[in-house]
Amino acid sequence: GGEAVRTTISASDERVSEALSPHLIAAGIRLAGLDLIGEHLVEVNTVNPGGSYHADRLHGTDVSGRIIEGLMGTPLRRTLQGPA
């Protein structure tokens, strides 16, 4: 029931992410959303890490497209346009 708001990633956020990343990778999880309150990890979203939509909407980025490209291993533009 929360509302996404524009924010920046803090040094504390990065420390939590760096500490958790090896465990997620070992479990085969390539993409996850981390919910943090201050320095406390409260939730790891691995089935539906939908934060990329909000990042794009709030920051005018294309995180969603970059994620798809990374998962597919090919630039999205080429995939959608078909062979040259």
Side-chain angles (χ1 to χ4, degrees):
E3 181 178 331
V5 295
R6 187 178 177 122
T7 189
T8 57
I9 297 173
S10 70
S12 172
D13 297 339
E14 289 198 22
R15 282 192 299 274
V16 171
S17 174
E18 289 170 2
L20 187 58
S21 289
H23 302 284
L24 294 172
I25 291 167
I29 298 168
R30 296 176 56 197
L31 178 64
L34 306 180
D35 292 352
L36 297 147
I37 297 176
E39 296 187 11
H40 302 282
L41 177 68
V42 295
E43 185 175 17
V44 178
N45 299 292
T46 60
V47 176
N48 184 15
S52 62
Y53 162 79
H54 296 295
D56 291 343
R57 181 177 58 82
L58 294 168
H59 296 279
T61 57
D62 187 27
V63 172
S64 300
R66 291 177 60 200
I67 289 170
I68 292 169
E69 287 178 351
L71 292 171
M72 293 176 64
T74 183
L76 185 60
R77 290 171 298 286
R78 290 187 205 143
T79 302
L80 293 177
Q81 293 176 354

